[in-house]
Amino acid sequence: MDKFISVAIDGPAGAGKSTIARRVARELGYLYVDTGAIYRTVGYHMSLMGIGPKDRDGIERCIDDVNIQIDYQDDGIQHMILNGQDVTELIRTPEMSKMASGVAAQSCVRDYLLDMQRSLARTHNVVMDGRDIGTVVLPQATVKVFLTASAEVRADRRFKELTAKGEQVKYEDVYVDIVKRDEQDMNRKIAPLKCADDAEVLDCSQLSIDQVVAEMKAIIRKKASSHE
Ligand code: DC
């Protein structure tokens, strides 16, 4: 049995994984790992280099130049440091969502990041969110949850998040981006977004954040109590 507890939270874009996972991790005193931010950082590097998300040769050529550090500062935010530069804010744009989804379909990128994610779980109690955590990254995770919600609810939440940040976006565009990203993440050949056979499915379309957090903590308590 592993020494540390790992909570794998997978699900489609905009289901609220990061909000929920961050809160659950804080309340339990676990490390929160947002793996989407790692793919976004790779996507950001490729766009700086002028490399498109489908340019496999270009991505393979440049992937070894990507040096990513995750810095956990007192503000509780997972800071992403790319080759010495803090890119935490720069990766949170609709453009970088598309870049991340594109580069994430490349096997060299997934291989490159696998070890980084696994080593965090080997050394800490973690709540890790992403698309393939319960299926590929941590198939032996103590707890697996698949967090989902309807595309309309997810687009509405993402729209409100972006407009609150002052971004000028249309709801229809956000909805189309979410649906396209789901398709791309679910239909790629390597490590597609899918629910692990042994995951608990939590549909949060009709639930408040507090309700999802409470539900998630109940699932974790139940599973972790049988973990030694
Ligand atoms: O969770 P997010 O929206 O920040 O993720 C951005 C993209 O990264 C997402 O569309 C797919 C990819 N991703 C992935 O393929 N595997 C993960 N474990 C996390 C994210």
Side-chain angles (χ1 to χ4, degrees):
M1 185 75 74
D2 289 336
K3 202 159 107 211
F4 292 100
I5 291 174
S6 48
V7 180
I9 303 179
D10 291 304
K17 295 186 300 295
S18 48
T19 307
I20 304 298
R22 187 180 300 114
R23 253 191 64 181
V24 168
R26 194 179 58 225
E27 291 180 22
L28 296 175
Y30 292 5
L31 184 70
Y32 167 52
V33 185
D34 170 1
T35 64
I38 312 178
Y39 286 94
R40 285 170 183 270
T41 302
V42 174
Y44 182 76
H45 179 82
M46 296 305 162
S47 77
L48 279 184
M49 296 291 118
I51 292 168
K54 296 208 162 88
D55 178 357
R56 195 175 71 194
D57 291 346
I59 293 171
E60 275 179 6
R61 206 171 48 244
C62 283
I63 190 70
D64 288 335
D65 302 334
V66 177
N67 181 1
I68 296 178
Q69 280 166 312
I70 303 181
D71 193 3
Y72 292 98
Q73 297 179 7
D74 292 343
D75 56 12
I77 295 172
Q78 172 181 308
H79 285 260
M80 299 306 301
I81 315 295
L82 169 65
N83 297 330
Q85 187 197 356
D86 190 328
V87 297
T88 311
E89 286 296 322
L90 298 171
I91 58 175
R92 295 287 156 198
T93 63
E95 200 43 44
M96 285 310 122
S97 300
K98 285 183 212 152
M99 275 303 289
S101 181
V103 300
Q106 306 290 343
S107 58
C108 67
V109 173
R110 303 206 77 85
D111 292 347
Y112 189 69
L113 300 183
L114 197 57
D115 217 47
M116 178 188 297
Q117 299 168 79
R118 285 186 177 157
S119 74
L120 285 165
R122 264 197 303 273
T123 47
H124 302 82
N125 290 324
V126 291
V127 178
M128 192 175 281
D129 83 42
R131 303 293 187 287
D132 62 335
I133 309 304
T135 51
V136 176
V137 179
L138 304 176
Q140 311 294 340
T142 326
V143 184
K144 298 182 188 179
V145 179
F146 193 81
L147 189 66
T148 189
S150 71
E152 288 75 14
V153 167
R154 291 186 285 122
D156 189 52
R157 287 181 189 160
R158 194 45 63 90
F159 173 73
K160 287 183 181 139
E161 217 173 271
L162 290 168
T163 46
K165 278 203 292 181
E167 300 220 13
Q168 303 285 323
V169 285
K170 288 205 222 110
Y171 170 82
E172 291 71 24
D173 293 340
V174 176
Y175 177 82
V176 168
D177 278 355
I178 287 254
V179 172
K180 273 200 196 142
R181 206 137 69 87
D182 285 354
E183 269 168 26
Q184 186 156 311
D185 294 343
M186 287 187 300
N187 294 319
R188 67 177 177 226
K189 287 202 184 79
I190 320 150
L193 165 66
K194 70 167 191 247
C195 180
D197 293 340
D198 50 351
E200 299 248 2
V201 180
L202 195 50
D203 186 325
C204 63
S205 305
Q206 310 294 332
L207 301 177
S208 69
I209 292 174
D210 284 346
Q211 286 172 317
V212 183
V213 168
E215 187 75 33
M216 189 82 81
K217 281 169 70 184
I219 296 172
I220 295 170
R221 252 195 313 274
K222 194 174 74 195
K223 297 263 166 151
S225 63
S226 53
H227 174 98
E228 292 178 4

